Amino acid sequence: MNQTPAGTAERVMDVAEALIQQRGYGGFSFDDVAQAVGIRKPSVHHHFRTKADLVAALARRYTERFESALAAIDVARRDPLARLKAYVQLFATTYAQDGRLCVCGMLGAEADALPADVADAVAGFFQLNLTWLTAAFRDAQRSGQVATGQRAANLAELMLSALEGAMVVGRGGRSGAGPTAVGKNLLASLAA
């Protein structure tokens, strides 16, 4: 089956995403991507001039998809605590795929070594999440579901750090544990 150029570009990004989730930015090449997609290396360059172009586009796509998932949570769940639990599930779903890590979490660990466009796209992912989580924690505090002893922005950073870290520790410790238990325990500890 012949793929359209747009379809090929999406497949290239899909493969690069999986490789980043397993190996990080430095752990894959255009050769790896071309082989997995079943195209020649020049075809990858046709869609993405450089690795930085590919990964920046991928990080932006990942952020846009995450933003859509957050919007869906907001629409489907009016209860603030239910929204936070659904947020935890986004990370659990990623981790359940053979211990894959968040694309931007993997890239964030390498931020100082990344090209500026990639680092900026990664920073955008984290800002989106912190903004959403701050609003969700503020709503949970106002509803009396989460204790008010901490600023909502601090709780947002704690949650995001805990979930990203749980993925790394689960994989690194080869425990199979991941963000589900950590998110559940964190929310229980913050209950009003």
Side-chain angles (χ1 to χ4, degrees):
M1 171 171 86
N2 286 333
Q3 294 182 329
T4 65
T8 301
E10 285 295 312
R11 181 71 182 125
V12 165
M13 285 200 293
D14 291 343
V15 167
E17 179 174 320
L19 290 169
I20 289 169
Q21 288 176 306
Q22 292 295 330
R23 303 178 191 171
Y25 184 85
F28 80 97
S29 68
F30 271 23
D31 285 330
D32 296 324
V33 173
Q35 185 176 10
V37 175
I39 58 177
R40 294 183 14 223
K41 184 178 170 182
S43 296
V44 177
H45 282 284
H46 171 74
H47 296 287
F48 303 98
R49 190 174 56 79
T50 66
K51 184 176 181 179
D53 292 341
L54 167 60
V55 178
L58 169 59
R60 286 189 298 272
R61 181 184 80 165
Y62 192 82
T63 300
E64 289 166 3
R65 288 179 175 177
F66 218 89
E67 186 173 27
S68 294
L70 296 176
I73 289 171
D74 286 339
V75 168
R77 292 167 181 81
R78 296 182 60 74
D79 178 68
L81 193 57
R83 288 199 312 268
L84 289 166
K85 289 176 181 177
Y87 180 85
V88 170
Q89 189 57 43
L90 295 175
F91 286 83
T93 299
T94 297
Y95 189 76
Q97 298 174 39
D98 300 321
R100 287 187 183 184
L101 303 187
C102 166
V103 166
C104 291
M106 284 291 283
L107 294 171
E110 303 175 273
D112 290 343
L114 295 175
D117 286 351
V118 178
D120 290 346
V122 170
F125 172 84
F126 287 117
Q127 189 55 55
L128 166 74
N129 280 267
L130 291 171
T131 299
W132 188 91
L133 281 167
T134 297
F137 273 113
R138 192 174 295 119
D139 290 347
Q141 287 176 324
R142 286 179 183 150
S143 71
Q145 295 174 305
V146 169
T148 59
Q150 291 284 329
R151 290 181 47 236
N154 293 348
L155 296 176
E157 191 166 348
L158 177 64
M159 175 64 87
L160 182 56
S161 298
L163 295 175
E164 292 283 5
M167 295 172 101
V168 172
V169 171
R171 183 197 281 177
R174 297 187 176 162
S175 65
T180 303
V182 168
K184 180 180 177 182
N185 290 338
L186 180 59
L187 288 173
S189 73
L190 297 173

